[in-house]
């Protein structure tokens, strides 16, 4: 029968063998955290390897994702569908064992962790989602939402600013079902960290409102007692500071950065085998070790017990049970299309002259009653982003609700939202000024990489936002977001386009959306109903002329008004102008070629108009077209003054069109 030392050493052996075979990777963290992982996964974690998506499983996040062989070893050993052949292809093309854990590749990987710090922020999102859903669904005697979130993190995660943002909020929320294990090994790639990381981490987390303990990370009894103590503290998240030796077991490289980011080398692998008493060939795991790790029977029993609990819940509360299933499977309400079609039509009938940020708020207010999983929020700019509505209840972790004030934490907000989306049961959106999407870019990119439905509400979208000046006026941001693969960016021109954009963003299940919205008012437009479906295509013919057009003006957002007025002037003078509204270039680019050609006719000169950097639009206008844009930083002045100063006028659009003909 395998000993616990054997079980931990199986992680060390698999990790060093896979990294050595790939000649690439990070063996140190998995080898150093082997005892912590064995204690948690074998004695505390509630999970079912045969059903990685079981709704009430505990969530495990490896925030120090460079140590990915740790989680791959755990998944393989405990019985997930991750065979040894996959372990052997670690870091190779199309392997389920990617260099950093990737959601959707290896079963059981809850989130993609590469950029350090985002995993712990995702973990905060998981725990917040659990707490919110428990408040919405649990009934006395029926705790159907009742699971823990466990996070491993390293020194790098601690240093990254996003961990401060998310962990401070976790303390405020009192997330008692969140437990983080800090791999305190004192090493990063550059070497011993005392030259650049001297924080008193324990005191820092205590100041956040966390329950903090310190243990020897190689003492399984101490780790066990710390986890049990953490479970008993239900009003605070817990940090267990685990003092470890990186590369534990390696006789010549443990305790140094030599085992952090590179293979040990064949000689050191052999020496490590002898040192830890692992007398097996590479990638060979004895039967008794597999038996000691196998979690399939225990996992099936845990899920079966929950199934019985949920059946009793469904008998007592059938409507709530049905709603829980709908939400956790990501299914929209049965009346969704009928209701949202009515919202779009009603918005169109009003044709209000308002800022698109205000139009967005109106849509949020209309969608909220339809969508109980809607979870709004803003990074301290609710009154400016207009992301709340009268039906939302503000929540701070101490009371249930559906609107979150994240504080001035843009990066943390979007990383937390990623965790919420991954958890399932919620459709999170968060707002900030568009300029500050740069703070959050990495989290937005991760949402796109993981194909998660999060929605960014980004207001004050151009120099038109005015007096705050160039520090707050986005120039390149919209193009930057459009260049993220799988990100849908919408910059609607009026209230109807805003409504369609919101509905499309909620309906999208395979990626995030960013809604880029104006501070200033835009003209109300009453569209022909035929436009509704065309708007959803990302670009469409807004107005046309008889016969072939001489020129096509492409615009979006607040600049659509300029395009329409310039076209009217040019048409009156005999130049035939088609106006194309392009609220989402990403969505338009996915349309079939026939449709795209019907909107942007080949051989017709084109001019694009957007209060943003002009280079992006060259793909649509070509070298013989032109762009009315802005390639410099703005200035501080009223928005209308700035727009005129930088050439966003009807006269300049007309002149630019004439210059290409």
């Amino acid at each position: 029968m395998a000993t616990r030392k054997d079980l931990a050493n199986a992680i060390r052996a698999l990790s060093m063998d896979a990294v050595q075979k790939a000649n690439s990777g990070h063996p140190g963290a998995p080898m150093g955290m082997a005892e912590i992982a064995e204690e948690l996964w074998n004695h505390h974690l509630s999970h079912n390897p045969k059903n990685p998506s079981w709704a009430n499983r505990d969530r495990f996040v490896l925030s120090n994702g460079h140590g990915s062989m740790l989680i791959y070893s755990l998944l393989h050993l405990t019985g997930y569908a991750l065979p040894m052949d996959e372990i052997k292809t670690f870091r190779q093309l199309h392997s389920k064992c990617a260099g950093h854990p990737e959601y959707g590749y290896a079963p059981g990987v809850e989130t993609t962790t590469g950029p350090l710090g985002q995993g712990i922020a995702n973990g905060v999102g998981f725990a917040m989602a659990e707490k919110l859903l428990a408040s919405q669904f649990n009934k006395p005697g029926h705790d159907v939402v009742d699971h823990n979130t466990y996070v491993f993190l390293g020194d790098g995660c601690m240093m990254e600013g996003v961990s401060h943002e998310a962990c401070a909020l976790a303390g405020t929320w009192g997330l008692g079902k969140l437990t983080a294990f800090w791999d305190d090994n004192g090493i990063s790639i550059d070497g011993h960290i005392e030259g650049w990381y001297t924080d008193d981490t324990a005191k820092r987390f205590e100041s956040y409102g966390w329950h903090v303990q310190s243990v020897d990370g190689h003492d399984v009894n101490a780790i066990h007692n710390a986890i049990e103590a953490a479970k008993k503290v239900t009003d605070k998240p817990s940090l267990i500071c685990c003092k470890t030796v990186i590369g534990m077991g390696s006789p010549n490289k443990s305790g140094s950065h030599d085992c952090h980011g590179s293979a040990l080398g064949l000689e050191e692998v052999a020496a490590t085998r002898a040192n830890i008493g692992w007398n097996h060939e590479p990638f060979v795991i004895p039967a008794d070790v597999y038996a000691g790790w196998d979690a399939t029977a225990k996992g099936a029993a845990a899920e079966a017990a929950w199934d019985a609990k949920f059946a009793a819940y469904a008998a007592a509360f059938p409507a709530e049970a049905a709603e829980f299933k709908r939400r956790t499977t990501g299914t929209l309400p049965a009346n969704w299309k009928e209701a949202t079609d009515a919202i779009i039509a009603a918005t169109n009938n009003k044709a209000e002259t308002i800022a698109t940020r205000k139009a967005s708020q109106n849509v949020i207010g209309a969608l909220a009653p339809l969508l109980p999983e809607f979870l709004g929020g803003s990074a301290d700019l609710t009154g400016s982003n207009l992301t709340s509505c009268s039906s939302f209840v503000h929540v701070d972790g101490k009371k249930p609700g559906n609107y979150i004030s994240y504080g001035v934490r843009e990066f943390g907000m979007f990383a937390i939202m990623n965790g919420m989306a991954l958890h399932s049961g919620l459709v999170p959106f968060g707002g900030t000024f568009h300029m500050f999407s740069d703070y959050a870019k990495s989290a937005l990119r991760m949402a796109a990489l993981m194909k998660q439905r999060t929605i960014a509400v980004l207001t004050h979208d151009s120099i038109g936002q005015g007096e705050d000046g160039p520090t707050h006026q986005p120039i390149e941001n919209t193009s930057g977001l459009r260049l993220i693969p799988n990100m849908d960016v919408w910059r609607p021109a009026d209230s109807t386009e805003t409504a369609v954009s919101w509905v499309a963003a909620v309906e999208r299940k395979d990626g995030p959306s960013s809604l880029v919205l104006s501070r200033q008012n835009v003209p109300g437009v009453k569209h022909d109903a035929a436009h509704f479906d065309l708007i959803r295509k990302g670009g469409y013919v807004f107005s046309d002329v008889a016969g072939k057009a001489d020129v096509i003006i492409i615009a979006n957002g607040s600049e659509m008004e300029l395009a329409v007025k310039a076209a009217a002037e040019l048409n009156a003078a005999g130049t035939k102008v088609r106006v194309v509204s392009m609220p989402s270039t990403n969505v338009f680019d996915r349309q079939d070629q026939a449709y795209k050609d019907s909107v942007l006719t080949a051989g017709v000169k084109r001019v694009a108009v957007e209060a943003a950097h002009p280079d992006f639009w060259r793909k649509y206008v070509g070298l013989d077209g032109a762009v009315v844009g802005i390639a410099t930083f703005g200035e501080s002045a009223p928005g209308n003054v700035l727009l005129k100063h930088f050439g966003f006028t009807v006269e300049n659009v007309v002149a630019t069109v004439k210059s290409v003909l």
Side-chain angles (χ1 to χ4, degrees):
M1 182 176 180
T3 65
R4 296 191 67 180
K5 180 181 177 182
D6 294 330
L7 301 185
N9 282 339
I11 295 173
R12 293 189 171 98
L14 278 178
S15 297
M16 67 181 182
D17 287 343
V19 172
Q20 188 61 49
K21 186 174 189 298
N23 197 27
S24 174
H26 300 71
M31 296 173 73
M33 297 191 78
E35 282 83 11
I36 306 167
E38 192 278 327
E39 172 63 35
L40 176 65
W41 277 64
N42 259 339
H43 302 281
H44 302 275
L45 191 73
S46 180
H47 64 116
N48 184 0
K50 299 306 180 185
N51 183 12
S53 60
W54 166 37
N56 201 49
R57 68 193 182 279
D58 288 343
R59 270 62 169 183
F60 173 78
V61 177
L62 185 71
S63 188
N64 46 342
H66 54 273
S68 55
M69 269 311 305
L70 177 58
I71 193 169
Y72 299 144
S73 298
L74 291 164
L75 294 171
H76 170 76
L77 291 167
T78 55
Y80 285 78
L82 194 68
M84 188 65 83
D85 285 346
E86 289 290 345
I87 301 292
K88 292 178 180 178
T89 63
F90 175 60
R91 285 186 166 232
Q92 305 308 301
L93 185 64
H94 303 315
S95 174
K96 291 181 180 179
C97 298
H100 290 78
E102 291 193 37
Y103 175 79
Y105 279 60
V109 171
E110 298 282 5
T111 180
T112 301
T113 50
L116 293 176
Q118 289 198 59
I120 179 62
N122 295 163
V124 172
F126 280 123
M128 288 171 70
E130 192 275 346
K131 188 164 189 173
L132 288 168
L133 290 170
S135 71
Q136 294 170 14
F137 285 101
N138 288 354
K139 304 292 183 182
H142 296 275
D143 292 336
V144 293
V145 181
D146 184 16
H147 52 266
N148 294 290
T149 300
Y150 297 104
V151 182
F152 284 3
L153 70 159
D155 296 313
C157 297
M158 288 294 191
M159 287 185 251
E160 288 287 0
V162 69
S163 70
H164 298 247
E165 294 183 25
C167 291
L169 189 61
T172 299
W173 272 56
L175 297 175
K177 291 185 178 178
L178 171 64
T179 300
F181 299 79
W182 170 33
D183 182 25
D184 178 15
N185 62 36
I187 297 291
S188 66
I189 288 179
D190 277 359
H192 292 269
I193 64 173
E194 61 264 22
W196 52 87
Y197 185 64
T198 58
D199 301 22
D200 189 328
T201 300
K203 286 184 179 178
R204 170 154 64 90
F205 273 74
E206 286 172 355
S207 75
Y208 291 158
W210 286 55
H211 171 243
V212 181
Q213 305 171 79
S214 296
V215 300
D216 178 345
H218 303 295
D219 183 339
V220 292
N221 292 323
I223 299 163
H224 173 85
N225 291 336
I227 295 172
E228 290 298 323
K231 290 178 182 177
K232 293 175 182 176
V233 179
T234 59
D235 61 344
K236 294 180 179 181
S238 287
L239 176 69
I240 303 176
C241 306
C242 303
K243 195 65 181 175
T244 63
V245 177
I246 191 170
M248 182 68 169
S250 170
N252 300 302
K253 295 188 175 182
S254 64
S256 77
H257 68 280
D258 292 337
C259 63
H260 184 290
S262 59
L264 296 180
L266 291 174
E267 289 186 6
E268 188 66 11
V269 167
T272 303
R273 271 188 156 71
N275 190 45
I276 65 176
W278 187 261
N279 302 313
H280 312 288
E281 293 298 312
F283 302 107
V284 172
I285 303 295
D288 62 337
V289 173
Y290 272 128
W293 271 109
D294 188 6
T296 54
K298 185 166 58 176
E303 183 173 358
W306 183 82
D307 286 342
K309 179 182 287 189
F310 191 80
Y313 176 79
F317 306 99
E320 288 85 348
E323 177 68 4
F324 180 83
K325 288 183 177 180
R326 179 190 72 77
R327 288 175 56 175
T328 54
T329 57
T331 305
L332 289 171
N335 65 334
W336 174 258
K337 187 177 188 313
E338 179 185 6
T340 54
D341 283 352
I343 290 170
I344 293 168
T347 301
N348 189 60
N349 286 336
K350 288 183 180 179
E352 294 179 280
T353 295
I354 52 177
T356 53
R357 62 171 176 156
K358 178 60 181 175
S360 168
Q361 184 181 45
N362 292 343
V363 179
I364 291 169
L367 292 177
L370 298 174
L371 206 62
E373 58 264 52
F374 223 19
L375 179 64
S378 182
D380 202 51
L381 291 167
T382 295
S384 296
N385 298 148
L386 304 184
T387 39
S388 189
C389 65
S390 60
S391 67
F392 278 157
V393 175
H394 288 241
V395 57
D396 60 7
K398 297 179 179 64
K399 61 181 186 299
N402 51 5
Y403 188 87
I404 300 171
S405 290
Y406 287 91
V408 187
R409 301 183 177 106
E410 296 87 358
F411 191 1
M413 173 177 68
F414 286 113
I416 287 169
M417 284 167 50
N418 288 346
M420 292 172 168
L422 287 158
H423 183 281
S424 82
L426 299 168
V427 176
F429 70 87
T432 186
F433 284 178
H434 187 22
M435 188 66 246
F436 304 142
S437 63
D438 269 356
Y439 278 152
K441 181 71 68 64
S442 187
L444 294 168
R445 184 179 187 272
M446 296 302 287
L449 181 64
M450 294 188 286
K451 302 179 180 179
Q452 292 304 297
R453 177 171 52 185
T454 63
I455 302 169
V457 179
L458 306 173
T459 69
H460 299 60
D461 66 351
S462 72
I463 57 172
Q465 85 94 4
E467 293 86 348
D468 280 336
T471 59
H472 286 55
Q473 293 164 3
I475 303 300
E476 76 286 7
N477 303 63
T478 305
S479 295
L481 289 177
R482 287 171 177 148
L483 294 175
I484 297 175
N486 200 43
M487 170 67 75
D488 281 358
V489 179
W490 292 88
R491 188 169 183 253
D494 55 53
S495 55
T496 301
E497 287 192 359
T498 303
V500 173
S501 301
W502 256 113
V503 172
V506 173
E507 288 179 353
R508 188 176 187 222
K509 295 182 180 180
D510 60 354
S513 300
S514 293
L515 308 183
V516 177
L517 307 170
S518 73
R519 177 195 187 191
Q520 70 272 31
N521 288 348
V522 295
V525 176
K526 191 165 187 178
H527 293 258
D528 186 289
H531 277 182
F532 300 167
D533 288 336
L534 297 179
I535 295 169
R536 296 175 74 99
K537 294 179 180 289
Y540 64 101
V541 177
F542 180 87
S543 63
D544 212 353
V545 290
K548 184 179 180 180
D550 299 314
V551 67
I552 299 172
I553 302 178
I554 311 166
N556 64 19
S558 51
E559 291 74 67
M560 268 298 291
E561 179 183 14
L562 299 180
V564 170
K565 289 181 176 179
E569 185 174 317
L570 288 161
N571 283 327
T575 299
K576 294 182 177 181
V577 181
R578 169 184 290 179
V579 177
V580 168
S581 177
M582 189 83 77
S584 179
T585 61
N586 308 96
V587 176
F588 180 76
D589 288 349
R590 292 201 296 270
Q591 304 307 311
D592 61 62
Q593 194 60 48
Y595 178 75
K596 288 188 285 188
D597 289 344
S598 74
V599 175
L600 300 178
T601 306
V604 179
K605 295 289 183 67
R606 303 167 189 175
V607 172
V609 186
E610 185 179 52
H613 201 288
D615 284 2
F616 175 85
W617 289 98
R618 293 293 173 187
K619 64 185 283 191
Y620 298 103
V621 303
L623 296 178
D624 59 347
V627 182
V628 178
I630 176 171
T632 67
F633 294 115
E635 293 193 37
S636 179
N640 60 334
V641 174
L642 289 174
L643 289 166
K644 182 177 180 180
H645 174 75
F646 285 103
F648 293 96
T649 63
V650 174
E651 293 78 15
N652 190 38
V653 175
V654 169
T656 303
V657 169
K658 289 180 178 178
S659 74
V660 304
L661 292 176

